[in-house]
Amino acid sequence: MTTSTLTIHGTSVAAGAHFDVVNPSTARAFAKAPQCSASQLDTAMESASQAFARWRNADLPTRQNALDRVAALTLDAIDELARLVTLEQGKPLPAARIDMKQT
C-alpha cells in the first residue's frame, strides 16, 4: 500500500498521521494519505501565498511555458493518473481517461 508525504514549500515533509484512501467499488483501502497538522497547514498556506505572488508577477511567456510543461507532463501520465482516478472514485478506466483529456 502506498503511503505519501506532504509537500510544503517544495520539500517532502512527514505527516504525523495518515488516513486510508478507499476504493468505493471494493470498499478497500489502496493508499494512505498524509494528514497535516494545523501548523503544517498554516505553513503550506503561507508558502502557497508567497508562490502565488511570485507567479502573478512573472512575465506572461514564463507562465505560459510553465503551464505548457504541466500540460505535457499530465498528458504523458494519462494512464497512471486515470488508474488513480479509477481507484479513488470507482470510475471505469475508459471514463477516467476521457476526463483526464478534456479541456
Side-chain angles (χ1 to χ4, degrees):
M1 181 176 308
T2 303
T3 300
S4 301
T5 60
L6 302 165
T7 301
I8 300 174
H9 199 66
T11 303
S12 180
V13 177
H18 291 79
F19 60 91
D20 288 341
V21 181
V22 176
N23 180 333
S25 66
T26 64
R28 292 187 182 151
F30 69 91
K32 292 205 171 277
Q35 184 172 335
C36 70
S37 67
S39 173
Q40 288 171 319
L41 180 59
D42 289 343
T43 301
M45 292 302 295
E46 179 61 30
S47 177
S49 179
Q50 291 171 8
F52 176 71
R54 289 189 305 274
W55 171 260
R56 179 181 56 211
N57 294 321
D59 62 281
L60 184 59
T62 298
R63 292 191 323 228
Q64 287 173 327
N65 287 337
L67 291 172
D68 286 343
R69 285 194 312 272
V70 168
L73 290 169
T74 301
L75 287 174
D76 288 347
I78 282 285
D79 289 334
E80 180 181 357
L81 294 170
R83 185 185 66 77
L84 289 172
V85 168
T86 295
L87 288 172
E88 180 186 28
Q89 298 177 6
K91 181 177 283 201
L93 189 57
R97 282 191 183 109
I98 289 168
D99 286 353
M100 296 299 300
K101 290 181 181 179
Q102 289 183 355
T103 58

